[in-house]
Amino acid sequence: MINQLLFVSFLFLTNGVGLFEQYYPLADEIAQSMTLQQKIGQTLQVDITSFNDDQGNTHYEQISQHFLGSILVGGNGCPDGRGNIIASDNCFAATNANWRDVAQKSLKQKVVVNVPGHGETTINLLLGTDAVHGNQHSVGAVLFPHNIGLAASHNVENYIKAAYWTKQSILDCGFNFAFAPTVAVSHNPKWGRFYETQGADPKFIKEIGRAYIKELQDDDGKKIKGVLGSTKHYFGDGATYNGYDEGNCRVENFDVFYNNNIQGYVGALEAHTGTIMVSYSAINELAMSISDLINVDLKQNQKFDGFIISDYNAAIKVAYQGLPTTHTKMTIEDAYTKSFNAGMDMQMVDGAVGWYEEVMNNIIAQGRISAERLNDAVKRILAVKLAMNLIDVPQTLAKKHNYTQEKKEEEKVEQKDVSNDSNDAEYYDALRSAKESLVLLKNKQNLLPINKYKITNVILLGERLWSFKGEFKRVYQDFDNIGAQNGGWTIRWQGFNGNEYWSNDLKTSSKASSILDAIKSRFNTANIYYIQYSDPTNLQLINQQRGNFRNEIINNQDQFSRENTLIINTLAENPYAEFMGDIDCEYCKSQDKYGCIYNNWLNQYLPDEQPTTLEINIGDYEKQIINIVRQKDVDIPVVTVLFSGRPMIITNPLSVSTAFVAAWWPGTAGGEAVVQSLFGEYLFKSQGKLNTLPVPWMRNMYQISNYPIYGNEVPQIEDPLFEEGFGLETRPQNSQ
């Protein structure tokens, strides 16, 4: 293993007092006055669902009983409409109003510290939530494209708008802490979090980190007016060997690795990010959760003055998991000791608070974590809270430290006045982002843009038959699948297929649109051909109706020509998140599957065994319909739209298609964005680097095998199918 610190090119910020450092003296005096149990509690962020009893009632009083510094909503948590948070498949009650109810109940739980000579100081709670592509836990929310799509726009303004609307929605829910932005550099598409990455240009990622945090936190140099950000995952999470989630980065030249992967954090630090979340991954088999880089790089050299937070159960993984991160395991006491001493200030855990308290009390009593180190962690957490007006400071103490206390109405979360104009503005910002994220990979004979006034027949194809554990469940039509447009981290951790969460009032509030929705809004008199299943869960009936549709196409063959007919074929990945999206992990092929975390969880849309390829093909039924339509005119155009979280192996669909659009996961406005681009209402690559690939697009799986390894140069995919920066343009004259 190389000496990781030997090659570091440290990057310094300005020498002035930082946004949070200015509150260190006051925070330190409060911390020094706290009991040991209060200090331990402040270093803990707990999944709120762990406070539920067997009947699903959330016992909020446990927050103050354990003196907690923060709680979080786990990936599958949602309110039940009765004031509780549950982990459930049914999240229809997860409205902003019900989230506000949860927030209000949580914020009533406070930690009271008696500061000698000044009296009671009340510490309030940080309420954390994921915000991967908007306020995704809230039903009816407008959702932006995932990061890899935003990166294809190469437009920082889209990130600023995403941060602004995410901030507004989270505040409307009563929460104050967002786990965003991810600033990982894109490397291997086999990684299940590839869609969370920001492309391959570190300079652009630095700009993104700065702009997003600045808008999200909205600080004025003294106080945070917006939502606390958490820049993540420090660092190199996007550069693991073979793209294994929670994997290991193979680094031979640390200087090259560091300079290419650190830039997003540099930008975020320039914007005063309040927290940095540490990655599960390792560098040369040293887990980042226990790496001295946290102290030496972030705190000492980059002068980071906020607090460091772990990822979910990170120390437990360091102790017990081993591969795919590292071959090393240790006791939980060693893991927490190493993590805290490396600079981790707050631990994110799923529950078992009493057990955590016991472990911490033991290792502190043994002197393995010093009082000075514990006080430093608490001081940093309190300094951030002071910058957020989350600590009620007695007047004498505030005067002593020249602290300005902004008064807030006690224990009340106000609903923001969200006007129709505001909702429209959010939608149009998301729509613009989605349009600018699309990349046109093929446009034979300049098919696009299509003159919609000449089209009298639109044929919509693209279906997937979903089975779970060998039992057929239903058919999904991806031209009418808003869930597939949004991917993972949508409502719940692994996301959803279908339109259940985008129907009726929820569809109205989110203004969500599928390709079918957008086509119907434009073609009142044209024939729109697609199968309207009477029961999408009945396989026998599905096959029967497919046969009927095939006959309908055959009977209308004489009407179809290259001038009046358009086939739109949609391909889509199933939604996934984190390691459930990993592809072709060697540990999943072994008999004991040690190191295969894919098999430790469940995504109902994915097969029991991890897939080994990113190849995606047009289905046999779709090929059959295309051949029938083209039987009398082989040049009837086929436009293929791919909804995916990453580049795929597209040899087959690319050869069949007249035009091909990589749409990524474009969010709730994705259907409208795609259709506007097909008919010239939006022109691809109208200016600058809009609509261009943020990463190279590989030809085959071989090109991303044993990749990346950091030597003396930044690793690159050799001879890709499409280079980074590729994207075809369309011109307005074709639409006339």
Side-chain angles (χ1 to χ4, degrees):
M1 182 184 298
I2 65 171
N3 183 335
Q4 293 183 352
L5 303 181
L6 184 61
F7 300 104
V8 177
S9 298
F10 293 119
L11 303 173
F12 291 87
L13 300 181
T14 58
N15 293 323
V17 176
L19 174 63
F20 310 107
E21 186 183 5
Q22 63 187 312
Y23 300 118
Y24 277 6
L26 173 55
D28 189 57
E29 184 164 356
I30 298 170
Q32 296 286 352
S33 304
M34 297 170 72
T35 67
L36 176 59
Q37 298 314 306
Q38 287 176 329
K39 292 176 184 178
I40 291 173
Q42 284 298 293
T43 66
L44 194 57
Q45 182 184 67
V46 180
D47 190 329
I48 192 172
T49 58
S50 67
F51 299 137
N52 286 1
D53 59 27
D54 293 340
Q55 287 72 46
N57 299 309
T58 304
H59 291 269
Y60 293 95
E61 69 276 5
Q62 293 187 33
I63 296 171
S64 55
Q65 289 171 1
H66 293 284
F67 313 109
L68 297 182
S70 181
I71 59 171
L72 77 144
V73 176
N76 296 325
C78 51
D80 64 358
R82 299 183 297 110
N84 305 301
I85 288 285
I86 56 174
S88 170
D89 289 334
N90 183 343
C91 287
F92 287 100
T95 62
N96 281 19
N98 286 332
W99 281 119
R100 280 194 299 275
D101 186 32
V102 168
Q104 187 165 336
K105 286 179 167 60
S106 300
L107 290 170
K108 288 180 179 179
Q109 307 303 316
K110 303 171 184 294
V111 176
V112 179
V113 178
N114 187 14
V115 179
H118 300 284
E120 291 186 348
T121 298
T122 304
I123 304 171
N124 291 286
L125 195 64
L126 285 168
L127 281 70
T129 184
D130 293 296
V132 178
H133 65 133
N135 187 17
Q136 73 226 22
H137 281 303
S138 185
V139 295
V142 174
L143 297 178
F144 277 69
H146 275 286
N147 288 341
I148 193 64
L150 289 179
S153 77
H154 296 89
N155 186 352
V156 175
E157 185 66 21
N158 289 331
Y159 288 91
I160 294 172
K161 293 298 186 182
Y164 174 81
W165 292 114
T166 299
K167 171 182 65 180
Q168 296 300 322
S169 185
I170 288 175
L171 289 174
D172 189 42
C173 290
F175 281 62
N176 53 26
F177 186 7
F179 306 144
T182 298
V183 291
V185 180
S186 308
H187 288 82
N188 197 321
K190 291 196 291 184
W191 188 32
R193 304 188 81 154
F194 191 88
Y195 60 88
E196 296 184 53
T197 66
Q198 302 286 8
D201 181 358
K203 292 181 180 178
F204 182 63
I205 296 172
K206 178 181 178 180
E207 192 176 356
I208 290 167
R210 182 193 305 113
Y212 194 97
I213 285 293
K214 182 178 180 181
E215 182 58 55
L216 183 71
Q217 293 191 162
D218 190 21
D219 77 80
D220 60 5
K222 290 288 186 180
K223 296 292 181 68
I224 289 176
K225 308 294 185 181
V227 170
L228 179 65
S230 188
T231 308
K232 60 181 189 174
H233 305 84
Y234 179 83
F235 86 107
D237 53 333
T240 58
Y241 181 68
N242 274 326
Y244 296 167
D245 192 34
E246 304 181 21
N248 178 49
C249 300
R250 293 194 180 184
V251 179
E252 297 167 359
N253 187 320
F254 190 78
D255 193 34
V256 173
F257 175 81
Y258 182 87
N259 287 324
N260 196 56
N261 290 281
I262 199 64
Q263 299 304 324
Y265 300 93
V266 176
L269 284 164
E270 290 174 354
H272 314 300
T273 184
T275 74
I276 292 176
M277 187 182 295
V278 176
S279 176
Y280 288 128
S281 59
I283 299 174
N284 292 334
E285 293 216 13
L286 177 60
M288 287 305 303
S289 294
I290 57 173
S291 171
D292 286 341
L293 283 169
I294 299 171
N295 268 329
V296 177
D297 177 31
L298 288 178
K299 292 184 175 180
Q300 295 176 22
N301 291 282
Q302 298 207 53
K303 310 299 182 186
F304 174 58
D305 58 344
F307 70 84
I308 305 290
I309 186 170
S310 79
D311 209 332
Y312 202 81
N313 285 341
I316 295 173
K317 288 177 178 284
V318 168
Y320 302 134
Q321 180 167 281
L323 293 174
T325 313
T326 171
H327 287 83
T328 303
K329 295 183 181 181
M330 62 188 70
T331 67
I332 191 62
E333 290 81 5
D334 284 347
Y336 275 123
T337 299
K338 289 176 180 289
S339 180
F340 265 95
N341 288 336
M344 197 78 74
D345 301 307
M346 182 178 281
Q347 299 284 345
M348 183 193 299
V349 300
D350 61 355
V353 181
W355 174 75
Y356 173 84
E357 291 170 333
E358 181 181 352
V359 171
M360 286 296 293
N361 275 299
N362 287 339
I363 56 182
I364 290 169
Q366 295 165 10
R368 301 178 68 185
I369 296 176
S370 68
E372 180 183 12
R373 171 66 194 109
L374 181 61
N375 285 339
D376 176 68
V378 175
K379 175 191 71 179
R380 287 171 172 273
I381 294 164
L382 297 184
V384 171
K385 290 187 175 185
L386 286 165
M388 298 175 69
N389 288 300
L390 290 179
I391 300 180
D392 301 323
V393 182
Q395 287 186 358
T396 56
L397 186 59
K399 184 177 181 180
K400 175 182 176 181
H401 292 279
N402 196 28
Y403 177 74
T404 302
Q405 181 82 58
E406 295 184 12
K407 296 295 183 182
K408 294 185 178 181
E409 191 170 350
E410 183 70 14
E411 296 179 1
K412 188 173 182 181
V413 177
E414 293 287 354
Q415 179 178 0
K416 296 177 69 67
D417 181 18
V418 181
S419 66
N420 288 332
D421 289 344
S422 177
N423 186 246
D424 287 345
E426 181 179 13
Y427 165 72
Y428 285 115
D429 284 338
L431 176 61
R432 185 187 74 172
S433 297
K435 289 188 291 188
E436 293 181 357
S437 74
L438 307 174
V439 180
L440 183 60
L441 297 180
K442 182 178 181 180
N443 193 24
K444 185 178 179 181
Q445 297 179 343
N446 292 322
L447 171 69
L448 303 185
I450 296 166
N451 187 341
K452 64 185 174 185
Y453 299 107
K454 294 182 179 180
I455 299 298
T456 57
N457 303 292
V458 179
I459 301 169
L460 299 177
L461 301 175
E463 300 183 351
R464 287 177 293 129
L465 299 177
W466 170 40
S467 295
F468 180 62
K469 294 191 177 298
E471 179 183 352
F472 175 76
K473 291 295 184 180
R474 64 162 293 162
V475 61
Y476 285 110
Q477 297 175 296
D478 290 323
F479 54 82
D480 190 28
N481 187 345
I482 296 171
Q485 293 173 193
N486 283 278
W489 293 111
T490 301
I491 312 297
R492 298 176 79 244
W493 178 39
Q494 294 293 322
F496 286 96
N497 270 312
N499 296 328
E500 284 81 359
Y501 284 94
W502 298 276
S503 300
N504 303 318
D505 290 345
L506 297 180
K507 189 166 189 175
T508 301
S509 63
S510 65
K511 294 182 169 59
S513 60
S514 66
I515 289 176
L516 175 62
D517 293 327
I519 289 292
K520 283 183 173 180
S521 72
R522 284 162 174 78
F523 293 94
N524 296 321
T525 59
N527 300 308
I528 304 174
Y529 294 91
Y530 66 99
I531 305 175
Q532 300 182 53
Y533 291 112
S534 55
D535 183 358
T537 67
N538 186 323
L539 185 57
Q540 182 177 354
L541 194 56
I542 288 167
N543 288 329
Q544 179 182 328
Q545 291 184 292
R546 280 185 164 190
N548 294 341
F549 182 75
R550 182 170 53 246
N551 291 335
E552 181 184 7
I553 295 298
I554 292 172
N555 292 336
N556 288 283
Q557 273 181 322
D558 292 340
Q559 298 180 23
F560 304 145
S561 71
R562 71 189 71 179
E563 288 81 18
N564 68 11
T565 300
L566 173 65
I567 302 171
I568 300 176
N569 180 64
T570 309
L571 300 173
E573 280 195 286
N574 277 305
Y576 55 82
E578 299 190 51
F579 50 83
M580 292 307 300
D582 278 7
I583 297 291
D584 195 33
C585 174
E586 63 177 311
Y587 306 122
C588 295
K589 300 174 185 177
S590 65
Q591 187 170 358
D592 64 4
K593 289 186 166 42
Y594 170 52
C596 177
I597 50 180
Y598 178 92
N599 289 95
N600 292 348
W601 206 262
L602 182 68
N603 177 319
Q604 60 184 334
Y605 304 117
L606 299 180
D608 291 341
E609 296 298 320
Q610 185 188 70
T612 59
T613 182
L614 288 169
E615 184 176 6
I616 192 166
N617 294 309
I618 297 176
D620 290 339
Y621 179 76
E622 285 78 6
K623 288 178 183 176
Q624 188 179 66
I625 298 299
I626 290 170
N627 289 335
I628 293 171
V629 173
R630 283 177 158 178
Q631 192 166 348
K632 294 187 177 181
D633 187 346
V634 295
D635 290 324
I636 289 176
V638 175
V639 177
T640 295
V641 179
L642 172 63
F643 292 125
S644 69
R646 50 193 162 192
M648 307 288 287
I649 309 300
I650 55 173
T651 307
N652 165 262
L654 198 63
S655 65
V656 173
S657 305
T658 317
F660 193 103
V661 177
W664 313 105
W665 280 338
T668 46
E672 177 67 20
V674 167
V675 172
Q676 284 194 22
S677 74
L678 300 187
F679 296 108
E681 298 164 41
Y682 173 80
L683 296 174
F684 283 96
K685 207 175 175 182
S686 58
Q687 62 181 17
K689 297 175 69 176
L690 300 178
N691 308 110
T692 56
L693 291 177
V695 293
W697 192 293
M698 70 284 178
R699 294 178 182 273
N700 51 53
M701 294 297 291
Y702 176 77
Q703 290 183 316
I704 52 175
S705 296
N706 305 318
Y707 173 83
I709 298 175
Y710 266 84
N712 292 329
E713 295 182 356
V714 175
Q716 302 286 340
I717 295 174
E718 296 182 4
D719 188 29
L721 182 62
F722 300 107
E723 297 280 356
E724 177 189 350
F726 179 85
L728 300 174
E729 65 178 327
T730 53
R731 299 185 178 183
Q733 60 265 29
N734 293 338
S735 64
Q736 301 303 313

